Amino acid sequence: GLPQMPVPQQPSSEAPPDSIGEMYEQLKPTDELLCGSYANAVMIGHSGAEYWFDFIVNIVPRSIVTARVFMAAPQVPGLHEALVRSWQQFVEQQERPEPPEEETDDADEDVEEE
């Protein structure tokens, strides 16, 4: 016959659910992770279920991966849309001329002498 699927065990009703604070502490990144990583290139790969992003620093004599991020495939379209919006905002800001700086020439000011 067909093999039997394992039956998942129900969690004990004795253990109270985690509080919001406890869940936050479990998800809170380490200080090292909060510092971030620099990259000047990225390689993207995927399977049927997930994408991975290898953030790379191209240095001599060889490049190194500074961070690897995995993302569920259904989340990638949202990332793409956010990147496109952010890039458009960046380009618009670069194209916008800087307002001229007001010159302050102290020599032109009238100074009253007593």
Side-chain angles (χ1 to χ4, degrees), residues 11-25:
S12 171
S13 60
E14 296 173 17
D18 290 340
S19 71
I20 298 292
E22 290 169 333
M23 287 190 289
Y24 175 77
E25 284 300 318

Side-chain angles (χ1 to χ4, degrees), residues 75-93:
Q75 302 302 318
V76 173
L79 172 64
H80 176 260
E81 290 171 11
L83 286 170
V84 167
R85 267 193 320 274
S86 180
W87 177 254
Q88 288 170 342
Q89 290 172 354
F90 172 78
V91 169
E92 289 170 8
Q93 288 173 351

